[in-house]
Amino acid sequence: MNLSNLNKNQKNAVEKIGLPVLVFAGAGSGKTRVLTYKIAYLINEIGLPPENILAVTFTNKAAQEMKSRVFELVDKDISGINIGTFHSISASILRREIHLLGYSNSFTIYDQQDSRSLVKKVMKNLDLDLKQIEPKSIQIRISNAKNSLQSVDYFKNFTDNFSDKKFYEIYKSYQEELKKCDSLDFDDLLLLPLKLFKEFPDRLEKYRDKFQYVLVDEYQDTNKPQFEFIYSLSHKHKNIFVVGDDDQSIYGWRGADISNILNFREAFGESHIEKLEQNYRSTNNILQAAWSVVSKNTNRSDKKLWTENGSGELINLIESFDDRHEAKQIYSKVLSFKDNLNQVAILYRTNSQSRIIEDRLRVGGIPYQIIGGVKFYDRKEIKDILAYIRFLVNSNDSISFDRVINFPPRGIGNTTVSRINEYYNQSSKSYIEALNNLDEIKLGQKQKSSIKDFLKVISGYQLKINNEKGSEIVKSLISDLKIENYYLKQKTDDAIDRWNNIQEFINGIEEYEINNPSSNLVDYLEEVSLLTDIDKWNDSENKVTLMTVHSSKGLEFDNIIIAGLEDGLFPIIRTFEDDNIEEERRLFYVALTRAKKVVNISYAKSRRQFGGAPTLSNKSRFINEIPKDIINFNLINGENDYKIDKYNINRKFESKTNEQIQVNAIVEHKVFGKGKVLKIEGSGENSKLTIKFYNNVVKKLIFKYANLKLIEG
């Protein structure tokens, strides 16, 4: 096999056989090339059958790219090769084996929205106040527990305080309800294979024999369940090859454990470690900036990227008066790249930052796409149709039942649904069986008639699942339900858009069937459940891409603009409390290394937060960690004619000066509440006030934007 396209270190990694291999692959160092060449080498040179290879990554997009590259390098049929995401590989195992754990092979996969709906339902069943205990926080805590391999029983003994006791009750009921619904959440997809391997050792041996060589992409992002999955399959034969970069470990908040990559040798024993430090993507100035920041971290492997691409442009620093001015300056920057908008990405720390930038781009007629907005499959009208399909294949799915029973409206209210659910919960019947016993449920005749009509439709289509194409079933179902009439009779643009989205959804099913001719509706539901935003990203259209830094990982652009580089925003304020500044540095490192040619870093001196008045901002400490000699400061205050007041014409202030407000005065802010003035800098309407509010939050505010009410002074 010709390996001349690889550099020395890449070639060493590919040819190393007989030991576990860890490849530290820096940003832009060709990790995908190494992975694909390794797979091809195993097939072409070692003679390993494709079906005995397992390669896992984190996005469908990365998996598809890997498959296509391997196909180009191998002359043999590789249709049997196992390349996919952790979740898709786990799902495929469970489809074959989950009956051993008491589930059906047509189980439903709940997305985040469905999972949260189930948490709410469980909490209502437990008579808990959703205002006192937020379902979202409970869902996050359950997910964190699962990612830490903490089962329900783990919390059994932590019930001394009210919060822990209630969490245990909710977590326990949530898992019981999932089981009864014959459903799994995203985290269960990772946990249940471990349960399967533990309780049925013969199945573990089966998959160890099948997956004789295991490869892992983005290994630094693995959490505890993912590590245990990989370890279970590979620690016996030690044929494991992992690629990752600890400097790009940015998902600690969702359970990723950086120690998995840093302690690889401790886990797998004698290993070969290879470092890929030559960068093929970025200029030297970009790499120098990135390294200068990330090298401040102590919990990292020793490596430094280098390139033959030349110095390139300096890092452009953009200073703005406020967030509106920042959006204007970003727009001006984008204009200079208008012929290659698909090579421009605007990155930010939080999704909320996008709105003001979007507004400016929209006004200026700049086309853009957002990664991380409302996903197509999360739209209400699409969730409704998906719920019907899910209920057809799994009539125990309570979340789907709740969603479809009165859509389109058929006169079945919440009271009726509650009575049906109560009967369902007390029986061992499926919803279909429960609905066939309406006489045992206290319902009005009108409601019974509507439910019988609903049941007739569902039962009829359930008979068709195994005999007709999924797309035909869905089209016919939508027609019988008169969903088109439901939307079009509303005669609103929103309703028409929703109907158009449903038609696009049907097109998607038909397209899936063309690409997967032996598939069924269960297969399609799984495909949709495992999609991520980035899987649908398209760089062929001439549009600017807007996304969070987290979403940008794995992508590259000629030109990058990083917005909102202020302490408290990037790095995010909670890192000061959690002492997790190192992950924020890694996140900034990821942002910088998305760029091939040009990096613009931007901050605003003041920014509106929580819908309130502008508060003073300090530029991010990360800016100060970049050497000054590679920063272009020429854009600082580049628009002296900018008038900050023009965006505040309608603001009314208590006074034009701050003469009435002195140090120690008690004031009230409409967002932060009451507080005490600790310090005043300057005079007049542009003076800066340091205020300690009663919740112990200290803010610096510009007087003329603060709209303070003097309480006493």
Side-chain angles (χ1 to χ4, degrees), residues 616 658 679-684 686-690 700-701:
L616 289 180
N658 70 342
K679 185 179 179 182
I680 299 175
E681 301 171 75
S683 61
N686 291 313
S687 61
K688 301 170 186 176
L689 281 66
T690 302
K700 275 192 175 182
L701 306 177

Side-chain angles (χ1 to χ4, degrees), residues 462-688:
Q462 283 182 324
L463 297 173
K464 300 179 181 182
I465 286 176
N466 297 321
N467 302 314
E468 294 185 21
K469 287 175 65 176
S471 57
E472 296 302 321
I473 292 173
V474 174
K475 282 192 285 188
S476 182
L477 176 65
I478 288 171
S479 176
D480 284 351
L481 292 170
K482 297 181 172 52
I483 289 176
E484 181 178 8
N485 292 341
Y486 168 73
Y487 280 116
L488 296 187
K489 73 180 182 182
Q490 296 177 34
K491 296 181 180 178
T492 65
D493 290 343
D494 179 67
I496 293 169
D497 285 344
R498 291 180 186 276
W499 173 242
N500 289 336
N501 287 336
I502 290 173
Q503 291 177 296
E504 180 59 31
F505 172 77
I506 295 170
N507 292 338
I509 300 179
E510 291 176 336
E511 187 177 314
Y512 176 78
E513 288 173 339
I514 292 170
N515 296 325
N516 303 272
S518 61
S519 64
N520 56 30
L521 280 176
V522 175
D523 298 325
Y524 175 72
L525 285 173
E526 185 173 304
E527 173 85 3
V528 170
S529 300
L530 300 178
L531 281 176
T532 64
D533 275 356
I534 208 65
D535 294 325
K536 290 295 185 181
W537 176 68
N538 181 6
D539 65 349
S540 62
E541 298 181 63
N542 195 36
K543 294 181 178 179
V544 178
T545 299
L546 278 69
M547 66 181 97
T548 64
V549 182
H550 282 99
S551 298
S552 74
K553 194 154 134 345
L555 304 179
E556 60 181 31
F557 301 84
D558 284 351
N559 312 294
I560 292 289
I561 302 170
I562 309 170
L565 276 166
E566 300 127 37
D567 267 1
L569 184 57
F570 198 177
I572 203 84
I573 192 163
R574 63 174 176 265
T575 60
F576 307 148
E577 303 164 357
D578 298 340
D579 195 29
N580 199 23
I581 195 69
E582 292 207 355
E583 182 156 314
E584 288 292 299
R585 274 203 189 91
R586 294 194 291 269
L587 190 59
F588 187 49
Y589 173 88
V590 167
L592 290 170
T593 55
R594 297 314 91 200
K596 296 180 185 178
K597 299 176 180 178
V598 179
V599 170
N600 296 277
I601 54 178
S602 170
Y603 74 97
K605 293 180 183 179
S606 69
R607 184 175 297 274
R608 291 168 179 81
Q609 294 186 23
F610 316 114
T615 58
L616 289 180
S617 306
N618 294 318
K619 70 179 176 184
S620 171
R621 63 195 64 192
F622 298 156
I623 296 175
N624 296 327
E625 291 175 357
I626 299 173
K628 287 183 172 54
D629 61 344
I630 60 171
I631 296 179
N632 173 22
F633 292 92
N634 292 333
L635 296 176
I636 297 290
N637 294 328
E639 296 188 39
N640 293 321
D641 62 336
Y642 176 81
K643 298 290 189 275
I644 193 169
D645 287 342
K646 68 184 176 181
Y647 295 108
N648 298 280
I649 294 172
N650 296 322
R651 278 191 184 274
K652 295 180 181 179
F653 300 97
E654 293 292 320
S655 63
K656 296 296 182 182
T657 71
N658 70 342
E659 293 172 359
Q660 297 171 302
I661 298 177
Q662 305 294 327
V663 172
N664 295 323
I666 306 300
V667 296
E668 186 174 10
H669 186 275
K670 68 177 183 179
V671 174
F672 304 115
K674 293 181 181 179
K676 184 177 183 180
V677 179
L678 302 180
K679 185 179 179 182
I680 299 175
E681 301 171 75
S683 61
E685 64 179 9
N686 291 313
S687 61
K688 301 170 186 176

Side-chain angles (χ1 to χ4, degrees), residues 75 114 137 203 332 364 379 416 423 431 468 502 540 630 690:
D75 294 330
D114 302 321
S137 65
R203 291 307 194 268
S332 298
R379 298 175 189 271
T416 300
Y423 177 79
Y431 274 107
E468 294 185 21
I502 290 173
S540 62
I630 60 171
T690 302

Side-chain angles (χ1 to χ4, degrees), residues 391-392 432 436 451-468 473 476-477 480 521:
F391 195 68
L392 288 180
I432 299 297
N436 276 311
I451 290 170
K452 284 178 181 177
D453 290 342
F454 167 78
L455 186 60
K456 185 178 179 181
V457 171
I458 295 297
S459 300
Y461 279 99
Q462 283 182 324
L463 297 173
K464 300 179 181 182
I465 286 176
N466 297 321
N467 302 314
E468 294 185 21
I473 292 173
S476 182
L477 176 65
D480 284 351
L521 280 176

Side-chain angles (χ1 to χ4, degrees), residues 166-205:
K166 291 304 173 188
F167 175 72
Y168 168 71
E169 291 175 1
I170 298 168
Y171 189 4
K172 184 173 181 290
S173 297
Y174 173 80
Q175 287 303 113
E176 291 171 349
E177 198 65 27
L178 272 176
K179 185 77 177 286
K180 189 171 184 180
C181 293
D182 198 23
S183 300
L184 312 180
D185 63 21
F186 254 47
D187 299 309
D188 285 334
L189 282 177
L190 302 177
L191 292 177
L192 288 189
L194 302 181
K195 183 178 172 68
L196 177 77
F197 294 161
K198 183 178 180 180
E199 295 182 8
F200 300 91
D202 61 315
R203 291 307 194 268
L204 174 57
E205 290 303 319

Side-chain angles (χ1 to χ4, degrees), residues 250-267:
I250 58 174
Y251 294 111
W253 52 275
R254 69 180 190 194
D257 189 349
I258 195 172
S259 67
N260 289 346
I261 190 169
L262 294 177
N263 299 334
F264 179 84
R265 186 168 274 157
E266 284 83 345

Side-chain angles (χ1 to χ4, degrees), residues 4-18:
S4 60
N5 288 332
L6 305 180
N7 64 37
K8 179 184 174 183
N9 299 98
Q10 292 171 335
K11 189 169 179 288
N12 287 343
V14 168
E15 292 182 326
K16 192 65 182 180
I17 298 293

